[in-house]
Amino acid sequence: MLKYSKFLLALFLVFAYAANAQNEKQFLALNIGILTSPSMHGRGYVADGAEQASIFIQRRFREYKLKPVTADGTFIQGYSFPINTFPGKMALSVDGKALIPGADFLIDASSVSYSGTDIPVKTIDLGRITDKSVWKKTLASIDDRYAYCLENADSFCKEFNMQPGKFASLLPKGCYIIPQKKKLTWTVEQDTIAATIFYVKQDAMPKVIKTLSVDATSLWIPKEKSENIMACVPGSVKDTFIVFTAHYDHLGMMGDSTYFPGASDNASGMAMLLYLASYYAAHPQHYSILFIAFSGEEPGLLGSAFYVAHPVVPLGQMKFLTNIDIMGDATDGVTVVNATEYPIEFSMLNRINEAQHYIPVIKSRGKAANSDHYHFTEAGAPSFFIYSNGGKGYYHDIYDKGAEVTLNHIDGVAKLLIDFVSYFN
Ligand SMILES: [Zn+2]
């Protein structure tokens, strides 16, 4: 009888565990779905995308009855920054064939507007340029009655040790095509250049282009208003905080009909932050738990930089900060940036995982300026940046959709983070 009831109990625990994992994944999938929906416009700076995401996150924080930490009793910290956007037309035809924005081509994110029909195209093979004087002559020869196809731009930049952004900024006003063999990866820029540049997939264009038709609109916004969102679950020790952060912004729209869903980057991390917020709202801890959702990460860690320069909860009151960015598939475990800076905390993560087998592996990495933990680390706040390893490799492209996020082992990451917080109690 005893044995039988033990068996039943074990069976119940297995099912409870499975149901729980299911709940976590359902929660994450639901919130990733909302954050990547067309109404969020890729959470950028076209059609109030980031603003829509902010309203949604604040609504969630209110639902969980989180407490404000700002002086004015709201969940937001406002700030602003310049940003280049593409809110209008985004049409490019090569020899009369219309290309598909996002799939066949990307516009350089610092490009200005350009339009023209049947513009004759000259091809320049940058691979043939071997010294600076030839490069100068080439730049001087550019004539804005033509468009230019610039071949071998990558090898040219490597040869001349030039960042692609620097290269783009040197091109005179006019329209350029740069053929791409590799996957198209977009970005967002704060400044504009003189030129209008398109990165076109090599297999979407003929070997030699004769004419281009272009209608692309950019809008540079000198002072885009944005906000960080923050709230806490007070603990028994109110003035010391365990902090979770994630960025809610993404690349937004490239033209009026193409958006970048940013499911893995970083709807997934934002969904994890919401999950932890809902969990801790029901399970207050010894220390207060603070949640901060940053905007402006994609144009250059702007939201977290602003927070560190204007802290609401002082950095000295942060016991430990964990930033979550890219948390959609942990098939190959997670990587911890700053693991080498905080070896005691890193070994604690590993000890928890060795005991519980939550995820396949926890990899160690040193310092890196690759997400919102960075300015906190530099200002002396102990912090990790944790990202998952796995998935289909969609990144900063139109294919990073909610449906492509597997959530493999992500429930395990949630449990790992929750056990990690208990370690500080
Ligand atoms: Zn990103």
Side-chain angles (χ1 to χ4, degrees):
M1 188 69 195
L2 189 71
K3 252 190 177 168
Y4 184 63
S5 67
K6 258 191 179 168
F7 171 73
L8 276 184
L9 179 68
L11 200 65
F12 169 76
L13 285 177
V14 166
F15 278 116
Y17 179 82
N20 203 6
Q22 220 31 49
N23 287 344
E24 284 153 4
K25 285 190 176 176
Q26 265 171 14
F27 181 102
L28 295 169
L30 174 77
N31 286 284
I32 290 170
I34 295 168
L35 287 163
T36 55
S37 67
S39 66
M40 296 271 175
H41 307 292
R43 306 185 304 284
Y45 307 99
V46 170
D48 285 336
E51 186 59 31
Q52 294 303 320
S54 167
I55 290 167
F56 165 70
I57 294 159
Q58 291 178 61
R59 200 192 315 136
R60 283 286 196 247
F61 280 8
R62 268 194 302 275
E63 253 173 55
Y64 308 149
K65 299 191 167 53
L66 302 192
K67 297 284 177 279
V69 288
T70 60
D72 63 3
T74 67
F75 289 149
I76 62 171
Q77 175 187 47
Y79 70 110
S80 63
F81 50 83
I83 198 87
N84 195 33
T85 65
F86 300 92
K89 293 233 171 73
M90 188 54 64
L92 173 66
S93 302
V94 172
D95 292 347
K97 182 193 160 206
L99 303 184
I100 304 163
D104 294 337
F105 75 92
L106 295 175
I107 192 165
D108 184 285
S110 47
S111 291
V112 291
S113 300
Y114 193 94
S115 71
T117 308
D118 294 331
I119 313 156
V121 177
K122 287 188 174 182
T123 296
I124 299 174
D125 183 357
L126 295 173
R128 286 165 177 254
I129 295 177
T130 46
D131 64 67
K132 277 194 174 155
S133 65
V134 180
W135 168 233
K136 273 191 177 156
K137 267 187 206 157
T138 308
L139 283 179
S141 75
I142 286 177
D143 176 342
D144 67 6
R145 288 172 299 174
Y146 296 92
Y148 290 85
C149 178
L150 305 177
E151 289 180 338
N152 297 309
D154 277 358
S155 56
F156 172 83
C157 286
K158 247 183 227 146
E159 176 74 27
F160 283 79
N161 203 5
M162 205 184 274
Q163 289 294 320
K166 170 78 183 159
F167 169 76
S169 74
L170 294 174
L171 297 174
K173 188 172 155 48
C175 182
Y176 304 85
I177 278 197
I178 299 183
Q180 296 286 303
K181 280 195 200 104
K182 51 187 188 203
K183 126 185 206 325
L184 297 178
T185 302
W186 209 37
T187 176
V188 55
E189 294 288 346
Q190 292 196 262
D191 300 318
T192 56
I193 53 175
T196 307
I197 305 170
F198 296 97
Y199 302 100
V200 180
K201 285 217 82 171
Q202 205 145 39
D203 53 17
M205 55 182 257
K207 224 177 158 56
V208 181
I209 306 174
K210 292 192 195 82
T211 64
L212 278 186
S213 293
V214 182
D215 196 357
T217 311
S218 85
L219 175 70
W220 183 70
I221 305 169
K223 248 186 153 187
E224 170 72 18
K225 280 190 186 153
S226 192
E227 59 218 20
N228 296 325
I229 312 159
M230 58 201 72
C232 82
V233 175
S236 22
V237 179
K238 292 213 165 18
D239 59 357
T240 302
F241 295 80
I242 304 288
V243 188
F244 286 103
T245 66
H247 76 89
Y248 68 91
D249 67 303
H250 192 55
L251 305 177
M253 300 193 76
M254 192 185 85
D256 52 13
S257 59
T258 303
Y259 81 102
F260 290 70
S264 158
D265 181 13
N266 185 31
S268 64
M270 191 60 233
M272 177 64 89
L273 186 133
L274 290 175
Y275 176 76
L276 294 169
S278 74
Y279 175 85
Y280 284 115
H283 304 87
Q285 299 289 299
H286 179 66
Y287 295 116
S288 295
I289 315 282
L290 174 65
F291 301 93
I292 315 178
F294 295 116
S295 65
E297 195 269 353
E298 298 291 1
L301 314 179
L302 305 178
S304 49
F306 186 86
Y307 184 97
V308 170
H310 309 88
V312 177
V313 169
L315 270 53
Q317 284 174 235
M318 295 181 174
K319 190 132 191 101
F320 204 85
L321 180 148
T322 303
N323 178 54
I324 309 158
D325 188 357
I326 299 188
M327 196 48 75
D329 185 323
T331 302
D332 302 317
V334 299
T335 297
V336 179
V337 170
N338 279 351
T340 53
E341 301 293 304
Y342 301 98
I344 296 170
E345 286 78 5
F346 183 66
S347 74
M348 184 49 62
L349 274 178
N350 267 304
R351 270 161 57 190
I352 296 165
N353 197 46
E354 275 153 26
Q356 305 291 341
H357 305 290
Y358 286 144
I359 55 173
V361 60
I362 305 177
K363 290 175 193 158
S364 157
R365 195 173 159 181
K367 271 188 173 188
N370 53 356
S371 191
D372 285 317
H373 62 289
Y374 176 69
H375 292 293
F376 287 92
T377 308
E378 292 304 290
S383 51
F384 279 159
F385 160 31
I386 302 188
Y387 60 89
S388 65
N389 300 308
K392 299 169 186 170
Y394 299 135
Y395 173 74
H396 282 211
D397 54 40
I398 56 167
Y399 310 108
D400 183 14
K401 295 178 185 169
E404 304 290 351
V405 170
T406 64
L407 295 174
N408 280 347
H409 294 297
I410 299 298
D411 49 320
V413 179
K415 291 188 174 75
L416 177 69
L417 293 174
I418 287 167
D419 286 5
F420 183 57
V421 168
S422 317
Y423 151 77
F424 291 97
N425 286 349

